[in-house]
Amino acid sequence: SVVQMVALAILLFSTLLFQGTLSFSSLFHTANEGGEKEDVEHTRPHTSISKGIIPCLGAAFISGLAGALSQKGVQMAGGKGRNAYLYTLELGLYSSISLLISMFATK
């Protein structure tokens, strides 16, 4: 669908921003004070594609797969399905607990 294509384009754009291939200054300013075009390769160190685009696309794939599997699990559990609000509450609680554990474990 069109919405999914726009979402993928935004995902690709954010990946390029985080990787350093694009920068906000190069998007909005075409020339610096000397009148020359700003080259992104000279302003930021080069990062390989394996550190930016591939992990981001992999995370998007895993997230979509997890969403599809959890939706199927909610619909199929016990014949009539589970309460979606309770399932969302459980996921939020487990995410918060794992975030707190990881925060305290890394300090």
Side-chain angles (χ1 to χ4, degrees), residues 51-75:
K51 294 181 182 176
I53 294 176
I54 293 175
C56 194
L57 290 176
F61 173 75
I62 292 171
S63 175
L65 181 64
L69 291 175
S70 64
Q71 180 179 3
K72 184 175 176 94
V74 167
Q75 291 173 350

Side-chain angles (χ1 to χ4, degrees), residues 22-61:
L22 294 177
S23 67
F24 279 119
S25 60
S26 67
L27 292 175
F28 297 117
H29 302 299
T30 57
N32 58 10
E33 292 83 21
E36 300 174 4
K37 284 193 157 195
E38 186 177 342
D39 190 10
V40 176
E41 292 293 326
H42 296 295
T43 59
R44 293 184 182 253
H46 180 68
T47 316
S48 68
I49 194 170
S50 66
K51 294 181 182 176
I53 294 176
I54 293 175
C56 194
L57 290 176
F61 173 75

